[in-house]
Amino acid sequence: MAAGDPSTAATSDVPATSSSAASYPDRLREALVALSQACDSGVSNASEAASFTVSDILDAFAAVMSAEADDGNDGGDDSTAARVSEQLLREVHEFLSRPLANQMATDALSLVLPIPVAKLGAQTGGCGDIAAAILKFFVTNCSPRDMLSILCEALDAPMELPNCSSSFVLLLNALAEVLTKIQRRHIEQVKVALPAVLKVMRATVSECDEEHGKAVVDLFNAAHGIGNAIQEMCTAMVNKNKEGMCAILGLYSLQNIALASRSRQQDILCACGSVVLQHFRFLKFSGFTYVGLLTGSDVTAATDKLSKEDDADFLEGFSFAMDGAMLTVVWAYMYDDMSKYAGEELELALKEVQGNHMMKWEAINMLKYVLSSICYPWIIKSHSINLLLSLAGENHVQETNNHVDFTSYAPRIFATLKAIESVMMAAPEALMRKKAFAALKKVISMVPSSQRFDILQALVNNSMSSSLTAILLDLVREEILRESRQAENDHVESDGFQGHGELPPWASHALELVELILRPPHGGPPCLPDHGDQDQDLENCSRKGLCTKCTPSG
């Protein structure tokens, strides 16, 4: 029979790295016999104690393997440890699969075995298949609600990352099966499960290195299985319950899209497009649209559906949902397979947003979530800048802007501009920095003229780079020239009715701004570049966004 066939009978003891390792199968068989006898007698305390003994034996061997791995054992020892692990798992599976298996024993073992079984299942060979079969047996033969709590506790238990990512995959796959068996109070049960799932996803993605990239891809596939289970629940629900569950599925998908996009592993970046595509299908099922993702309105609507006081902690698990909304659009914009899938739908959404002034501002503001974060790769930020330039378009909208109340947008536009600045100063490629500068000028030009100076002044006041200060001052100079030309044209058109020598408003404000720079309010010398070559100065800026020519004092 195949080594990975869970139904295969337990084999004889295999050679181990030590006599201690070789003794584990014998000790496990003795513990299982004791458990069977305790359950047959109907003494619950005895059966509970016996089940803990079984768990302790498996856990102890998992600890031995972990210690030996830390000591850097050679491949032969690893192979032997995997064979012993496989034998231990077969002993457990054979015990559970007996025709006369006692339900009391099954229930007792289901409480204590998921963690050690998942740990042993992370070994090579047939361990994963047998561990999955054991967990499936528990899911099939025990109460779904009990197993949901047990598996969530297992996911929440401390495990050493990144080595345990394969263990988490086994637990997530079992949890997905449990969710499909829940018959009542679906939303409540999902609210129990998802925080544990998302906590594992976030921790694993952030801590796994390039070597474990494939394991993280498997983790995202397991997370997709959780999404499938929730979608199956949605299909069976009606009215407000269905709306609430769809909102949960949408936020869950956005969180996973953001987490996948944060990964630096090459394996995940290669697979990320398919991960996004998988979760976008959940978004469409849940009623999310590209327009709603671009503007963030779908995220707000989903959050509002779940924003009761008792859901505050639950909603914290979706902290990257806004990032995920914009990233979904960015991936569709940059990834061929996603573009083909989105097709005309994405194009129509972009045109609709470009044609609506308020929606355009909302979409531009959404990009700050991606551009301001240090967690997303530069390739994603580069395409985000391309998307921003596309949204802004070529046409000037100043006349329209001057009739719009910009007060509520100012803080968010300032945050967006600061995010664009961070790309200008830290991007590794000159072309990306130049594109970011073009985006900065474009967004500033879209601000109403009456409030544009306030935005530029705020940017100058918060600039920590001499080169950036010079760039912003140059934009002020351009605005003064533009305003002066406009004033001259108005003077000519009015046949000289306006008084001569009257300074345009921007000119008087600019003098105050220059004085603020030359005389810093906190003292010290002004932070100005050593020369006027802005592009060269930008290339000398560090990845933290601070000019290398600026000392801490100035």
Side-chain angles (χ1 to χ4, degrees):
M1 292 185 182
D5 186 354
S7 63
T8 305
T11 60
S12 59
D13 291 355
V14 296
T17 57
S18 66
S19 58
S20 175
S23 69
Y24 277 94
D26 291 333
R27 293 164 55 192
L28 177 61
R29 280 191 288 269
E30 292 174 3
L32 290 172
V33 170
L35 173 62
S36 180
Q37 293 172 348
C39 292
D40 289 341
S41 67
V43 180
S44 60
N45 290 340
S47 63
E48 182 179 348
S51 67
F52 275 111
T53 301
V54 173
S55 174
D56 289 344
I57 292 171
L58 298 181
D59 220 14
F61 186 72
V64 169
M65 288 191 304
S66 178
E68 290 181 349
D70 291 340
D71 291 340
N73 276 345
D74 59 32
D77 288 338
D78 289 342
S79 176
T80 300
R83 291 198 300 271
V84 175
S85 298
E86 183 174 340
Q87 184 178 354
L88 293 174
L89 291 170
R90 287 188 186 283
E91 293 286 354
V92 173
H93 187 265
E94 184 183 71
F95 175 82
L96 293 170
S97 303
R98 294 178 309 170
L100 299 177
N102 191 302
Q103 185 63 40
M104 181 183 293
T106 299
D107 291 338
L109 291 176
S110 71
L111 292 170
V112 296
L113 286 194
I115 293 177
V117 165
K119 288 180 179 179
L120 295 177
Q123 295 298 306
T124 57
C127 294
D129 292 337
I130 307 171
I134 293 171
L135 293 173
K136 185 172 183 178
F137 185 91
F138 289 144
V139 169
T140 304
N141 293 277
C142 300
S143 164
R145 296 182 66 178
D146 289 345
M147 284 307 303
L148 185 139
S149 298
I150 292 168
L151 291 171
C152 287
E153 289 179 8
L155 287 169
D156 202 38
M159 292 192 193
E160 183 181 352
L161 288 170
N163 296 326
C164 286
S165 56
S166 297
S167 301
F168 287 133
V169 170
L170 289 166
L171 294 171
L172 289 176
N173 287 335
L175 183 60
E177 290 193 51
V178 169
L179 289 174
T180 62
K181 296 181 180 298
I182 297 293
Q183 299 297 319
R184 298 184 301 110
R185 306 177 70 86
H186 297 87
I187 291 182
E188 288 82 352
Q189 302 305 318
V190 168
K191 287 180 179 178
V192 171
L194 288 192
V197 173
L198 293 173
K199 181 181 177 181
V200 164
M201 297 294 298
R202 185 169 181 175
T204 306
V205 170
S206 63
E207 295 188 29
C208 280
D209 54 22
E210 188 73 35
E211 180 183 354
H212 300 88
K214 177 61 170 62
V216 182
V217 173
D218 293 338
L219 195 71
F220 276 107
N221 289 332
H224 179 252
I226 298 287
N228 279 329
I230 298 175
Q231 182 176 2
E232 188 175 321
M233 288 182 176
C234 291
T235 304
M237 301 172 76
V238 294
N239 301 329
K240 291 185 178 180
N241 286 334
K242 182 171 184 176
E243 292 179 5
M245 188 66 83
C246 284
I248 291 173
L249 178 59
L251 294 176
Y252 172 73
S253 297
L254 294 176
Q255 185 76 5
N256 275 292
I257 288 171
L259 289 173
S261 301
R262 285 171 171 244
S263 175
R264 303 301 173 121
Q265 291 89 8
Q266 190 62 37
D267 282 326
I268 297 181
L269 286 178
C270 292
C272 195
S274 60
V275 171
V276 174
L277 185 56
Q278 288 174 343
H279 283 283
F280 182 70
R281 292 191 176 103
F282 292 147
L283 292 172
K284 289 193 70 173
F285 174 85
S286 300
F288 285 61
T289 65
Y290 273 118
V291 171
L293 294 171
L294 270 167
T295 61
S297 59
D298 281 351
V299 182
T300 302
T303 303
D304 288 344
K305 286 187 176 75
L306 306 170
S307 60
K308 300 175 183 177
E309 291 185 8
D310 58 338
D311 286 332
D313 293 339
F314 177 67
L315 288 174
E316 287 181 3
F318 307 115
S319 56
F320 303 143
M322 281 294 187
D323 300 44
M326 182 49 70
L327 285 163
T328 302
V329 182
V330 172
W331 275 102
Y333 195 73
M334 65 184 271
Y335 184 61
D336 288 340
D337 288 348
M338 273 290 290
S339 297
K340 293 175 183 176
Y341 182 78
E344 187 178 357
E345 185 179 351
L346 177 59
E347 287 185 27
L348 292 175
L350 290 172
K351 288 180 181 179
E352 181 177 350
V353 170
Q354 289 169 337
N356 185 300
H357 180 65
M358 307 302 280
M359 291 171 65
K360 181 186 292 188
W361 274 123
E362 293 289 351
I364 290 174
N365 285 334
M366 283 285 290
L367 282 160
K368 70 176 179 287
Y369 293 106
V370 178
L371 298 177
S372 63
S373 175
I374 63 173
C375 297
Y376 300 112
W378 286 112
I379 182 64
I380 290 179
K381 291 190 176 186
S382 178
H383 284 282
S384 297
I385 291 292
N386 291 340
L387 178 60
L388 191 156
L389 290 170
S390 176
L391 286 169
E394 298 296 330
N395 297 326
H396 293 285
V397 291
Q398 179 182 330
E399 293 183 3
T400 305
N401 284 345
N402 285 330
H403 299 288
V404 175
D405 182 9
F406 190 70
T407 305
S408 63
Y409 283 91
R412 287 180 287 169
I413 287 295
F414 176 77
T416 301
L417 290 170
K418 293 299 292 182
I420 297 172
E421 283 182 357
S422 69
V423 178
M424 284 175 53
M425 304 303 293
E429 298 178 359
L431 179 60
M432 193 186 309
R433 295 194 294 272
K434 290 178 180 179
K435 285 196 303 182
F437 177 50
L440 184 81
K441 292 182 65 175
K442 177 68 68 174
V443 175
I444 289 175
S445 72
M446 294 171 61
V447 177
S449 178
S450 58
Q451 294 170 293
R452 200 176 302 152
F453 181 83
D454 292 335
I455 289 289
L456 279 167
Q457 184 177 35
L459 291 173
V460 170
N461 289 342
N462 287 273
S463 172
M464 298 181 66
S465 163
S466 62
S467 58
L468 183 58
T469 299
I471 289 174
L472 294 171
L473 281 177
D474 192 58
L475 294 179
V476 173
R477 179 187 62 81
E478 291 179 2
E479 287 295 332
I480 293 174
L481 292 176
R482 184 194 61 76
E483 190 180 59
S484 298
R485 287 193 294 267
Q486 183 63 44
E488 290 176 2
N489 293 336
D490 293 343
H491 178 72
V492 171
E493 292 176 2
S494 60
D495 297 327
F497 182 75
Q498 292 180 340
H500 292 283
E502 185 176 317
L503 284 175
W506 267 74
S508 58
H509 290 313
L511 293 176
E512 299 173 5
L513 183 59
V514 171
E515 183 177 6
L516 182 67
I517 295 171
L518 296 179
R519 292 184 176 179
H522 301 295
C527 183
L528 293 174
D530 294 339
H531 53 77
D533 189 347
Q534 296 170 0
D535 186 65
Q536 181 63 39
D537 203 81
L538 275 174
E539 292 198 13
N540 290 331
C541 289
S542 71
R543 300 180 74 84
K544 293 182 179 178
L546 301 178
C547 183
T548 55
K549 297 178 190 256
C550 288
T551 63
S553 62

